[in-house]
């Protein structure tokens, strides 16, 4: 895992987008096409804004896949991830994608897992853009996550802490409105990606970041599985990195380590 820490979420997002775009361009140069996975949520605002504005990527040769989606939520709802991806990424690109495979959780979620999973299984993802939840989840794989399933997508139950995060981010008017079930890309499918760009801002994620980086690989901290992936780049602002210990800081460039040490002592 390659840790990269920035002063604020804006520089963090710009760096993650630039590195992700470089990997997409490399795939286009080497293979003539590229495949990406795109996450949603408040943590991805800055990164996706910068990625969508990247001028020198031939998006017409890029295919996108949706990381996760709620069950039973119409795409007109403010919390819909299909709506999020259309409005914050797909429609903002300077030219249309070759294709984007949305997840529709409004009807038969298990059939939708099979439909999109069959398409995804025919390719290898060049860049997976993901985040980490306050409960340590990766996509919607809440703790304890299923590290064993080989299905590309599966139906999962959302725990109370995950649902509270979605409510607190303002996507729903009440906690009762937050769905209890979702479609999620599986952990093992995420790990099949050639590069994982994981973007995590804000102090509210600091505990999850610390446990994912410094703790054991454990289904109770789903994002800890990223420790096993050789090409994971973890982009943090100094607040999300504020609980990293000396062990974690030793993995950082000197300037970043000094910035985090100053944050911890403030």
């Amino acid at each position: 895992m390659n840790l990269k820490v920035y002063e604020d979420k804006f520089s963090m997002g710009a760096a993650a987008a630039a590195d992700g775009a470089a990997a997409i361009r490399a795939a286009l140069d080497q293979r003539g096409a590229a495949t990406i996975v795109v996450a949603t949520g408040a943590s991805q605002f800055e990164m996706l804004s910068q990625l969508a504005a990247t001028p020198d990527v031939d998006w017409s040769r890029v295919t996108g896949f949706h990381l996760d989606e709620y069950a039973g939520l119409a795409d007109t709802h403010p919390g819909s991830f299909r709506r999020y991806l259309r409005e914050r990424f797909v429609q903002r690109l300077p030219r249309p994608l070759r294709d984007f495979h949305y997840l529709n959780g409004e009807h038969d979620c298990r059939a939708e897992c099979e439909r999109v999973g069959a398409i995804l299984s025919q390719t290898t993802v060049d860049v997976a853009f993901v985040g980490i939840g306050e409960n340590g989840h990766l996509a919607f794989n809440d703790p304890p996550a299923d590290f064993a399933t080989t299905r590309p997508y599966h139906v999962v139950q959302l725990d109370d802490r995950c649902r509270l995060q979605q409510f607190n981010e303002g996507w729903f008017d009440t906690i009762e409105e937050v769905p209890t079930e979702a479609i999620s890309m599986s952990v093992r499918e995420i790990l099949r990606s050639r590069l994982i760009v994981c973007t995590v801002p804000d102090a509210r994620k600091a505990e999850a970041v610390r446990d994912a980086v410094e703790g054991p690989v454990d289904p109770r901290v789903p994002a800890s599985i990223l420790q096993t992936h050789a090409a994971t780049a973890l982009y943090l602002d100094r607040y999300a990195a504020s609980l990293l210990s000396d062990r974690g800081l030793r993995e950082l460039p000197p300037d970043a380590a000094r910035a985090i040490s100053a944050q911890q002592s403030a």
Side-chain angles (χ1 to χ4, degrees):
M1 184 183 292
N2 183 11
L3 293 176
K4 302 185 178 187
V5 180
Y6 298 87
E7 180 66 20
D8 55 51
K9 64 176 65 179
F10 303 101
S11 53
M12 173 210 68
D19 291 350
I24 294 170
R25 286 194 297 270
L28 293 175
D29 290 343
Q30 294 165 12
R31 292 180 290 279
T35 301
I36 62 175
V37 170
V38 189
T40 55
S43 66
Q44 305 299 303
F45 285 166
E46 291 76 23
M47 186 281 295
L48 279 182
S49 176
Q50 293 293 321
L51 184 64
T54 302
D56 53 349
V57 171
D58 184 357
W59 294 106
S60 68
R61 295 189 286 151
V62 177
T63 298
F65 283 87
H66 190 163
L67 184 67
D68 48 18
E69 179 60 284
Y70 295 107
L73 205 65
D75 65 359
T76 54
H77 191 284
S80 165
F81 290 159
R82 282 176 291 162
R83 175 177 175 175
Y84 177 115
L85 289 169
R86 281 200 310 268
E87 294 179 354
R88 292 184 175 273
F89 181 63
V90 174
Q91 292 177 349
R92 294 188 181 186
L93 294 173
R95 59 192 307 181
L97 289 164
R98 178 179 181 181
D99 204 350
F100 195 94
H101 299 285
Y102 292 100
L103 294 167
N104 184 343
E106 290 189 60
H107 304 295
D108 188 336
C109 290
R110 285 164 179 79
E112 184 71 348
C113 289
E114 294 299 321
R115 182 187 72 83
V116 184
I119 301 169
L120 181 57
S121 65
Q122 300 302 309
T123 188
T124 298
V125 172
D126 294 292
V127 188
F129 295 95
V130 303
I132 295 175
E134 292 177 27
N135 65 352
H137 71 205
L138 185 63
F140 263 148
N141 297 290
D142 283 344
D146 185 345
F147 283 179
T149 184
T150 58
R151 289 174 292 176
Y153 289 96
H154 58 159
V155 177
V156 296
Q157 300 299 310
L158 303 182
D159 71 15
D160 290 343
R161 190 172 180 188
C162 172
R163 294 175 67 239
L164 183 61
Q165 176 185 325
Q166 311 310 315
F167 168 67
N168 287 337
E169 289 184 358
W171 305 109
F172 298 88
D173 291 333
T174 67
I175 185 66
E176 290 76 21
E177 290 182 17
V178 183
T180 58
E181 197 171 63
I183 296 172
S184 179
M185 185 173 288
S186 69
V187 169
R188 289 187 63 173
E189 187 65 26
I190 294 169
L191 294 180
R192 280 210 311 125
S193 306
R194 291 186 171 98
L195 172 66
I196 298 174
V197 172
C198 185
T199 308
V200 191
D202 301 331
R204 62 192 173 92
K205 302 288 186 73
E207 182 180 346
V209 166
R210 178 199 62 200
D211 294 346
V213 172
E214 299 182 0
V217 175
D218 190 321
R220 291 172 294 183
V221 185
S224 65
I225 198 72
L226 295 176
Q227 295 178 35
T228 70
H229 189 276
T232 290
L234 180 57
Y235 298 79
L236 310 171
D237 67 5
R238 63 190 179 100
Y239 303 103
S242 62
L243 294 182
L244 290 176
S245 69
D246 288 344
R247 173 188 166 193
L249 294 178
R250 282 197 298 270
E251 303 298 324
L252 298 174
D255 288 347
R258 284 194 293 270
I260 302 309
S261 294
Q263 171 71 15
Q264 291 172 340
S265 60

